[in-house]
Amino acid sequence: PLDVDELGRASWALMHTIAAYYPQKPTHAQRVQARRFFDALGDLYPCATCRADLRADVDAHPPRCESREALAKWVCERHNVVNEKLGKAKMSC
């Protein structure tokens, strides 16, 4: 298995890629599935501390699944929350 740093990088790459390919005008079903994905990630993420942080963040700031731009910005904002906790530079959203 990946160590926590590798897992984090791979997970962010996946989430940013999902957002980049998410439909500009998603169907209702696509919006529901995107929300389910992030909810599941908050329940199943292999790192317990990261999982708890993600779950709390998703609960406080639900995924914005109404468009590609909204989801991409939401993922970027969530990434910046983690970067701030880790003392890393923020990205431009």
Side-chain angles (χ1 to χ4, degrees):
L2 301 175
D3 68 31
V4 71
D5 291 330
E6 294 169 321
L7 178 61
R9 284 189 296 275
S11 298
W12 285 119
L14 175 63
M15 288 187 276
H16 284 289
T17 302
I18 286 171
Y21 285 94
Y22 190 67
Q24 290 185 19
K25 295 181 180 181
T27 65
H28 174 74
Q30 289 167 323
R31 290 190 302 271
V32 168
Q33 292 297 75
R35 175 60 196 253
R36 286 181 180 165
F37 171 81
F38 290 105
D39 284 340
L41 201 57
D43 291 334
L44 300 171
Y45 201 77
C47 165
T49 301
C50 309
R51 180 175 58 244
D53 283 352
L54 177 60
R55 168 56 39 212
D57 199 35
V58 167
D59 288 346
H61 306 280
R64 294 193 305 270
C65 303
E66 64 270 14
S67 69
R68 178 184 299 160
E69 293 77 16
L71 186 60
K73 185 173 181 185
W74 179 85
V75 170
C76 182
E77 290 168 350
R78 308 289 49 88
H79 197 163
N80 278 336
V81 167
V82 173
N83 281 349
E84 186 173 357
K85 286 180 185 178
L86 298 176
K88 296 182 178 182
K90 287 187 173 184
M91 300 180 296
S92 173
C93 296

